[in-house]
């Protein structure tokens, strides 16, 4: 039918074909000559060995100590990892951290504040470090060891002072101890560490530990004096004050003179009863009016959550209402899109800021369930820094393994001075959407002043991912409360389930034709930043109009690609366009999202997957041939799209092109005559800590891509694309799309 809506086209992955990998030039000429580097490195190695020999034996399990090796910025990339140095010295990588480095020569030496690089934490026996000190003095200039030592800007021991983070006072307080710990290699010294801590006056809560890849997190009680002693233990990575629970404000009931209820609720079940959203929050009161759609789940006694707390329960009530109905208006509320399982994870045993029981209980729930959607409006008062927390790594693991679409509130300290206004843990998850608050959903909107800002940690620079209305003093977010009545408050706590509500609307109306990763990609793709800074609103305001998300207006076509990528392989994804030149300007907007494993002990290299994306707009235009080289017909000329083509070094690729970020989004306007079967070449680059080569056993990478092509002088573009690409098919809703009404 001519008037039938032009719905989003699916099966874009049928336009995929294999391609070849072609590397670029290598600028790895060493910044130092060996005759200049050798005496400098030898001096640092000798000083380090002297320090290690001064340590008490009980602080060095099995004689092991930890060194910090700072790489020259020129050797920032994975392929430049000093594998030969670690192998010949019998050392192992136990972690890393990002650092700004201003070297004496080479890349970054002329930058006043330095440029990004990496500090490696490497462990080995003291005897191994002594031997390295001896061998380095006599190694040949062109040896493998010398070549790797040329990559080192600085080397030195990890000291007790390096391990103490934040202010710890003279009185005993709740702390978090983080250890470099491999679950297989380091079992032998666990009990020795517990005894060591006890002997120093530190009380460890060993039953509440959380183990992640490369790190062991433990709650502890100690004072400043005891912490200084504990920090001498070589495998301690960090000791810091335990973060507190973010303050949860209790929404207030609106005052009204109207005798009858301000709101009424529908009698129908959810639009789609085949899936449910897991909400982790403060619980629900016994008289909540959501029984038809919501199951309130109380924690077992062994979870150490405790009894309900009134302000937490009222917060949980508001979060659940926001997920079911959005910000409510007087009258009959819309039918919820899906059911909700509300897990109470806060209580009177967590109100003293002991958050590990909360973390471990959520970990248990996610580990024993198959939810595809989960939302959190709670977390610790802890701004994102260089280290990855237990909260973040736990959620990233579950969201990646279960392909869960998670939404996480960024926090409400946006009015604090920098860096106190930066996004809060665990909204730095790379496998979830971090959500901030806007002051409205209308034209001229801006970030709500209380909403925390980015950037996130690289990878994961763009945070928040999205914003949505969270209420302001003059126009608060409104909820259904028992009665039913209307209550109101402001916060990112409510913007977050409001974004989840849009996600569930897409699933309810389009079913499994759009995966959870596809939903995430659609939300980012259609977000509008308006004129707001990226660090304040991320990719922009989430669009809550399902028609705008899924229906193509005249002169445009939107295509979704969903699939998996093989490690180290290159695939070519065609952007569908009709044959022949297009008149005028053509805009191509593209959004990639993927899920991947993470490594919390190497935060600068946190994600195990990156995408090298090359845009080739015209299949018959080629770069100028280099002297002595023929034109390769498989590689038409490339053009910048995700800001990666033409960048000179790894720092540029990571900072500007988000090389290792799980979301990539950009739009480019080109002349129609410059386009001929444009393609994206996608190179899935896998990595793992401590290796300079791509791991052979890397997982397939689930991805989603949404591309929108707009050619305003071609109102029939959608129909032409469908005729030219018969494998594409419209993704049609199972029920009529709701109409968004603005008031």
């Amino acid at each position: 039918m001519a008037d039938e809506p032009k719905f989003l086209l699916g099966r874009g992955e049928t336009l995929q074909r294999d391609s070849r990998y072609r590397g670029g030039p290598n600028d790895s000429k060493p910044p130092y000559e060996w005759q200049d580097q050798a005496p400098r490195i030898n001096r640092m190695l000798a000083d380090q060995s002297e320090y290690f020999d001064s340590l008490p034996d009980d602080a060095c399990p099995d004689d092991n100590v930890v060194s910090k090796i700072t790489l020259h910025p020129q050797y920032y990339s994975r392929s430049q990892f000093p594998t030969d140095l670690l192998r010949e010295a019998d050392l192992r990588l136990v972690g890393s951290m990002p650092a700004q480095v201003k070297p004496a020569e080479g890349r970054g030496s002329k930058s006043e504040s330095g440029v990004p690089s990496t500090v490696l934490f490497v462990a080995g026996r003291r005897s191994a470090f002594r031997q390295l000190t001896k061998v380095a003095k006599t190694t040949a200039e062109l040896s493998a060891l010398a070549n790797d030592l040329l990559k080192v800007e600085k080397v030195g021991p990890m000291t007790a002072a390096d391990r103490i983070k934040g202010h710890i006072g003279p009185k005993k307080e709740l702390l978090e101890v983080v250890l470099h710990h491999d679950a297989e290699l380091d079992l032998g010294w666990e009990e020795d560490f517990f005894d060591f801590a006890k002997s120093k006056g530190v009380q460890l809560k060993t039953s509440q530990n959380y183990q992640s890849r490369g790190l062991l997190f433990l709650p502890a009680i100690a004072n400043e004096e005891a912490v200084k002693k504990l920090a001498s233990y070589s495998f301690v990575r960090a000791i810091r004050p335990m973060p507190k629970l973010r303050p949860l404000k209790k929404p207030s009931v609106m005052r009204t003179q109207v005798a009858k209820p301000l709101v009424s609720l529908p009698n129908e079940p959810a639009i789609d009863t085949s899936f449910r959203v897991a909400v982790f929050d403060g619980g629900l009161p016994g008289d909540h009016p959501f029984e038809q759609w919501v199951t309130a789940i109380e924690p077992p006694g062994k979870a150490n959550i405790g009894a309900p707390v009134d302000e937490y329960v009222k917060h949980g009530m508001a979060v659940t209402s926001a997920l079911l109905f959005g910000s409510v208006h007087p009258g009959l509320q819309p039918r919820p899109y899906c059911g909700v399982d509300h897990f109470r994870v806060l209580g009177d045993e967590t109100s003293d800021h002991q958050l590990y029981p909360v973390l471990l209980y959520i970990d248990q729930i996610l580990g024993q369930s198959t939810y595809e959607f989960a939302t959190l409006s709670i977390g610790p008062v802890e701004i994102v820094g260089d280290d990855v927390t237990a909260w973040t790594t736990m959620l990233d693991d579950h969201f990646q393994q279960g392909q869960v679409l998670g939404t996480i509130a960024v926090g409400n300290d946006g009015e604090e001075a920098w860096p106190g206004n930066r996004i809060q843990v665990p909204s730095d998850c790379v496998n979830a959407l971090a959500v901030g608050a806007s002051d409205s959903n209308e034209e001229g909107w801006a970030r709500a002043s209380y909403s925390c800002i980015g950037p996130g940690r690289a990878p994961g620079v763009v945070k928040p991912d999205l914003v949505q209305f969270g209420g302001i003093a003059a126009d608060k977010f409104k909820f259904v409360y028992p009665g039913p009545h209307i209550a109101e408050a402001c916060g990112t706590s409510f913007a977050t389930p409001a974004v989840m509500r849009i996600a569930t609307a897409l699933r309810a109306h389009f079913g499994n034709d759009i995966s959870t990763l596809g939903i995430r990609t659609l939300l980012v793709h259609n977000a509008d930043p308006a004129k707001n800074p990226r660090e304040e609103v991320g990719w922009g305001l989430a669009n809550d109009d399902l028609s705008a998300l899924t229906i193509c207006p005249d002169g445009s076509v939107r295509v979704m690609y969903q699939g998996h990528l093989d490690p180290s392989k290159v695939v070519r994804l065609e952007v569908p366009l009709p044959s022949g030149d297009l008149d005028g300007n053509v805009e191509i907007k593209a959004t990639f999202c993927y899920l991947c494993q993470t490594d919390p002990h190497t935060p600068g290299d946190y994600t195990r997957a990156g995408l090298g994306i090359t845009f080739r707009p015209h299949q018959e235009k080629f770069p100028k041939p280099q002297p002595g080289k023929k034109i390769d017909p498989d590689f038409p000329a490339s053009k910048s799209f995700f800001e990666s083509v033409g960048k000179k070094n790894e720092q540029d690729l990571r900072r500007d092109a988000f090389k290792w970020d799980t979301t990539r989004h950009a739009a480019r306007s080109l002349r129609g005559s410059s386009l001929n079967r444009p393609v994206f070449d996608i190179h899935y680059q896998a990595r793992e800590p401590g290796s300079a080569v791509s791991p052979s056993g890397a997982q397939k990478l689930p991805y989603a891509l949404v591309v929108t092509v707009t050619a305003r002088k071609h109102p029939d573009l959608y129909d032409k694309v469908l005729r030219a690409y018969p494998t594409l098919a419209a993704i049609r809703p199972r029920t009529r799309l709701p109409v968004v009404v603005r008031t």
Side-chain angles (χ1 to χ4, degrees), residues 114-132:
V115 295
S117 191
T118 300
V119 176
L120 307 177
F121 298 113
V122 298
R125 295 180 182 275
R126 286 185 285 191
S127 57
F129 283 103
R130 291 190 207 105
Q131 182 65 16
L132 173 61

Side-chain angles (χ1 to χ4, degrees), residues 160-230:
D162 293 329
R163 300 179 173 110
I164 300 174
K165 314 288 186 180
H167 175 72
I168 299 173
K171 294 183 179 180
K172 289 186 176 181
E173 59 181 292
L174 189 62
L175 305 169
E176 183 177 51
V177 177
V178 186
L179 299 172
H180 292 295
H181 186 274
D182 184 294
E184 295 182 1
L185 300 177
D186 296 321
L187 283 174
W189 54 259
E190 272 190 31
E191 290 299 327
D192 291 340
F193 173 71
F194 299 156
D195 292 340
F196 182 87
K198 186 176 181 180
S199 71
K200 304 306 179 187
V202 177
Q203 179 186 346
L204 295 175
K205 297 189 174 186
T206 55
S207 64
Q208 294 183 10
N209 75 84
Y210 179 77
Q211 174 75 57
S212 69
R213 274 183 295 278
L215 295 177
L216 178 63
F217 298 85
L218 290 159
I221 297 175
N223 60 14
E224 180 184 17
E225 181 181 357
V227 163
K228 288 180 178 178
K229 297 175 182 177
L230 183 68

Side-chain angles (χ1 to χ4, degrees), residues 489-726:
C490 305
T492 58
S493 287
F494 317 121
T496 300
V499 169
M500 178 57 74
R501 183 171 182 267
I502 305 169
T504 60
L506 285 165
R507 169 53 62 84
H509 285 285
F510 291 90
N512 291 315
D513 288 342
I514 305 178
S515 66
T516 51
L517 189 54
I519 292 172
R520 172 180 167 182
T521 310
L522 263 181
L523 292 176
V524 172
H525 187 76
N526 291 280
D528 179 15
K531 296 181 180 180
N532 296 288
R534 178 179 282 173
E535 63 270 18
E536 293 194 10
V537 304
W539 303 116
L541 181 72
N543 196 324
D544 59 356
D545 184 347
L546 295 193
S547 295
L549 291 169
T550 59
I551 296 177
C552 305
D554 288 345
S556 74
V557 61
R558 183 170 299 148
V559 183
M560 173 169 283
Y561 308 65
Q562 300 178 103
H564 291 78
L565 301 173
D566 291 317
S568 301
K569 299 292 181 64
V570 180
V571 297
R572 182 161 285 178
L573 299 178
E574 184 170 346
V575 177
L577 289 178
S579 59
D581 288 348
L582 295 173
D583 296 330
N585 287 339
V586 176
E587 182 188 71
I588 299 177
K589 181 168 69 170
T591 307
F592 278 93
C593 288
Y594 62 88
L595 299 170
C596 72
Q597 286 186 310
T598 55
D599 290 297
H601 62 305
T602 58
D605 300 319
Y606 183 54
T607 51
R608 286 202 172 189
L611 296 183
I613 305 176
T614 303
F615 178 58
R616 303 186 189 279
H618 199 292
Q619 292 300 300
E620 296 179 2
K621 293 183 179 179
F622 298 90
K624 293 180 180 180
Q626 299 296 316
K629 292 186 178 181
K630 295 181 179 180
I631 291 176
D632 191 331
D634 287 340
F635 295 96
S638 61
K639 189 175 182 65
S640 176
F641 197 95
F642 291 102
E643 303 159 8
S644 60
V645 178
K647 295 295 180 182
K648 296 180 180 179
N649 56 53
E650 185 74 7
Q651 283 80 5
D652 287 335
L653 287 171
R654 296 194 189 193
R655 180 181 61 247
D656 297 332
F658 316 114
K659 176 182 178 180
W660 298 96
D661 286 25
T662 57
T663 298
R664 308 279 286 278
H665 173 76
R668 295 289 178 265
S669 181
L670 305 101
R671 296 297 297 173
S673 57
S674 70
L675 297 170
N676 177 5
R677 299 186 65 192
V679 297
F680 289 108
D681 283 354
I682 316 300
H683 180 207
Y684 163 23
Q685 299 167 298
R687 63 180 176 183
E688 65 182 6
S691 176
V693 298
S694 182
S696 57
Q699 297 180 345
K700 286 179 176 287
L701 191 71
Y703 83 94
L705 163 66
V706 176
V707 174
T708 297
V709 180
T710 302
R712 303 193 188 282
K713 292 188 176 183
H714 296 267
D716 58 348
L717 179 67
Y718 182 94
D719 296 323
K720 285 183 175 180
V721 166
L722 262 182
R723 288 194 295 269
Y725 297 86

Side-chain angles (χ1 to χ4, degrees), residues 323-355:
L323 176 53
L324 293 173
F325 307 112
S327 185
V328 304
H329 300 284
L332 180 65
Q333 300 309 302
R335 188 177 170 190
Y337 294 114
C338 67
V340 172
D341 288 339
H342 185 122
F343 293 91
R344 183 171 69 79
V345 297
L346 301 176
D348 60 6
E349 291 185 32
T350 60
S351 60
D352 62 354
H353 312 312
Q354 296 192 35
L355 291 185

